[in-house]
Amino acid sequence: MTFTGDIGPRVISDGLILCMDPVSPKCREENDFMELVSKKGMNSSGDAPTDVLKDGTQTVRITNSGGKYYSHSELFDSIIDNEALTIEALVNFEEAGGIGGFVGYNPYWPYSARCVESNGVCLPHFRYQDNAGNWQVSNSNAASFPKNTWTHVCLTYDGVNAKTYINSELKYTKALNPTGNTSLGSFRVGSTGWTGPDGNYAFIRLYNKALSQQEVSHNYNVAKRTRGVL
């Protein structure tokens, strides 16, 4: 991956509550410095995530046996309050697996973004349990991306419709039942209770709202201009 510089408009800041980006801590439209993760967070190896992300690498490697944890924050509760969220990532997976999400039952399994493999490609989708404990899943063969290729994946949910964008193009929309979550715990990049991926992340972002088509396109264009891989 070639990083060509963080020049021009920033990514959408409205609703942004977590940003893991090893090359650019300035994840927002404003020029202020945003902490990449909560200082209270710890990853699976026990190292502070900020130390891991400031090691000079341009991507973060995740394997199916590991992941990075971000401890609970009151900002996560705003997802429940808004009944909406977006998980956006620039990834290159050799094997499909979890993208990122919340772990643990309380009282039902919370929001997570996953990839399953079908006919050699990855199908990204939301997965969680509704108010009755039934699984809600939004995967479709219409929304897929190839392995071993850098791809911008954006999953949005507005409390009714889950949408899957691949490289800023809306590929699939599905109405899902309301979640049964009463609280959200830690956010994990990679495995969220199921098998994690084998691959690299250039970044992952969590919003407490559903990004619009225009906002998804804006963030994609920022990634396309600065990352040199799309």
Side-chain angles (χ1 to χ4, degrees):
M1 169 182 286
T2 301
F3 179 67
T4 58
D6 195 2
I7 303 170
R10 306 293 185 191
V11 300
I12 300 300
S13 64
D14 181 29
L16 180 62
I17 58 176
L18 187 147
C19 179
M20 184 190 81
D21 189 332
V23 298
S24 178
K26 294 182 177 179
C27 301
R28 309 175 68 156
E29 291 172 342
E30 300 89 353
N31 290 323
D32 59 340
F33 182 92
M34 179 181 181
E35 284 290 341
L36 298 180
V37 295
S38 166
K39 292 181 179 179
K40 297 179 181 179
M42 298 295 288
N43 68 23
S44 56
S45 65
D47 299 323
T50 48
D51 293 337
V52 174
L53 299 181
K54 291 177 180 176
D55 66 359
T57 61
Q58 296 196 9
T59 64
V60 174
R61 177 77 180 177
I62 300 290
T63 66
N64 59 20
S65 60
K68 308 214 178 290
Y69 296 88
Y70 303 113
S71 61
H72 176 77
S73 166
E74 64 276 6
L75 292 174
F76 293 164
D77 293 334
S78 61
I79 291 175
I80 298 298
D81 295 336
N82 295 343
E83 298 182 350
L85 79 159
T86 294
I87 296 177
E88 174 196 14
L90 180 57
V91 297
N92 186 332
F93 287 165
E94 293 140 33
E95 297 295 335
I99 299 174
F102 299 93
V103 296
Y105 287 88
N106 193 12
Y108 300 119
W109 198 270
Y111 300 112
S112 66
R114 299 183 62 206
C115 282
V116 294
E117 186 169 331
S118 176
N119 297 320
V121 297
C122 300
L123 306 181
H125 60 278
F126 275 125
R127 181 182 175 91
Y128 64 88
Q129 286 180 294
D130 65 17
N131 288 319
N134 300 312
W135 286 104
Q136 298 295 302
V137 184
S138 61
N139 63 303
S140 169
N141 288 324
S144 65
F145 66 91
K147 295 188 294 185
N148 302 301
T149 301
W150 282 103
T151 305
H152 182 267
V153 180
C154 190
L155 299 167
T156 72
Y157 179 60
D158 62 6
V160 177
N161 291 313
K163 296 183 178 182
T164 304
Y165 297 86
I166 305 295
N167 290 334
S168 82
E169 295 184 14
L170 178 60
K171 296 294 187 179
Y172 185 63
T173 301
K174 183 177 181 179
L176 300 179
N177 293 335
T179 176
N181 296 317
T182 57
S183 65
L184 296 175
S186 297
F187 185 90
R188 183 173 182 177
V189 180
S191 173
T192 57
W194 296 272
T195 302
D198 275 333
N200 293 296
Y201 290 73
F203 59 73
I204 185 170
R205 303 185 186 110
L206 173 67
Y207 289 84
N208 64 5
K209 70 170 192 174
L211 293 182
S212 67
Q213 169 76 75
Q214 183 179 9
E215 289 173 323
V216 173
S217 295
H218 173 92
N219 280 1
Y220 170 74
N221 287 331
V222 171
K224 187 175 181 179
R225 186 188 68 247
T226 61
R227 279 338 210 259
V229 295
L230 295 169

